[in-house]
Amino acid sequence: MDNFRMESIKSEKNIVCEITFIVERDGSVSTIKASGDDESFNTEALIAVSKIEEKWIPAEINGQKVRSRYRVPLNITYSDDGETAKFPAGEDIFKKMVVSNLKIKNYTKNKICIISFAVDEKGRVRNIDVEGKSRKFNKDVEQAVSQINETWIPKMFRGTPIPSHIEINFEIN
């Protein structure tokens, strides 16, 4: 693992490879191979194993050191910890900002909708969509969200900001 360069792996999905190699009678390693669906992972696995300088303790049969073949499965599992982009002051403050941009007097009854949008890698809100029963309310909420200039803290993946999707239940009583 110390020899692995994670930044060289291009995949963002869970990946698997199988490393095979021979431990020679003198404890050195030869014939290193890596097979799997992701070439960048296979290449890194080959490099990582070939950088190991320590000798192995060779296998023995009847007291004689013999060559032996090893098979080591490797996998990387990226877990989504549920974290998504965040509004710096919190979702409740975001909702209050939406309310302050709405013309509340236009609404006499409770209104409910779902605000959805993308937050890009720079924290900017994109592709706002509002769904609820009232077309006018949806349009007004969409306009209110688009007037908020503060950026979000983008979702991070492997230390890099990435776009993500946000859904917020929004209600005015």
Side-chain angles (χ1 to χ4, degrees):
M1 200 60 215
D2 292 339
N3 294 333
F4 232 87
R5 297 175 306 168
M6 291 299 293
E7 67 276 3
S8 298
I9 299 173
K10 296 173 180 44
S11 181
E12 294 182 359
K13 59 182 173 72
N14 298 339
I15 47 181
V16 176
C17 99
E18 181 177 272
I19 299 174
T20 58
F21 55 92
I22 304 292
V23 174
E24 299 291 344
R25 290 181 186 102
D26 67 356
S28 63
V29 173
S30 67
T31 320
I32 305 167
K33 295 179 183 175
S35 61
D37 292 337
D38 187 284
E39 281 306 312
S40 62
F41 187 50
N42 295 345
T43 300
E44 271 312 304
L46 284 172
I47 292 169
V49 172
S50 65
K51 284 183 177 180
I52 298 172
E53 295 177 2
E54 293 85 13
K55 296 270 187 173
W56 287 67
I57 299 171
E60 290 186 17
I61 297 178
N62 297 327
Q64 297 291 319
K65 294 181 180 182
V66 295
R67 297 176 78 215
S68 57
R69 180 175 178 262
Y70 277 81
R71 182 185 67 84
V72 180
L74 292 179
N75 62 37
I76 295 178
T77 303
Y78 296 110
S79 62
D80 185 355
D81 57 7
E83 292 295 318
T84 186
K86 291 185 177 15
F87 193 68
E91 189 176 300
D92 288 340
I93 299 299
F94 179 78
K95 288 179 181 179
K96 287 179 183 179
M97 293 172 84
V98 173
V99 169
S100 71
N101 289 341
L102 279 173
K103 297 177 179 88
I104 301 287
K105 295 175 187 170
N106 293 346
Y107 302 103
T108 56
K109 295 183 179 179
N110 292 352
K111 296 289 181 186
I112 299 172
C113 65
I114 297 174
I115 304 169
S116 62
F117 52 89
V119 174
D120 70 14
E121 61 279 351
K122 293 185 179 179
R124 298 175 296 212
V125 172
R126 302 278 188 240
N127 305 323
I128 303 165
D129 185 42
V130 180
E131 292 196 26
K133 290 183 180 179
S134 168
R135 230 181 241 164
K136 175 154 177 34
F137 181 67
N138 296 348
K139 189 70 175 161
D140 289 347
V141 170
E142 183 178 328
Q143 182 65 34
V145 171
S146 69
Q147 292 172 356
I148 298 172
N149 294 323
E150 284 81 355
T151 58
W152 286 61
I153 300 166
K155 179 176 182 168
M156 299 298 281
F157 181 77
R158 294 174 57 191
T160 304
I162 62 167
S164 62
H165 183 77
I166 303 291
E167 283 193 2
I168 297 174
N169 294 321
F170 184 72
E171 182 175 352
I172 294 181
N173 305 12

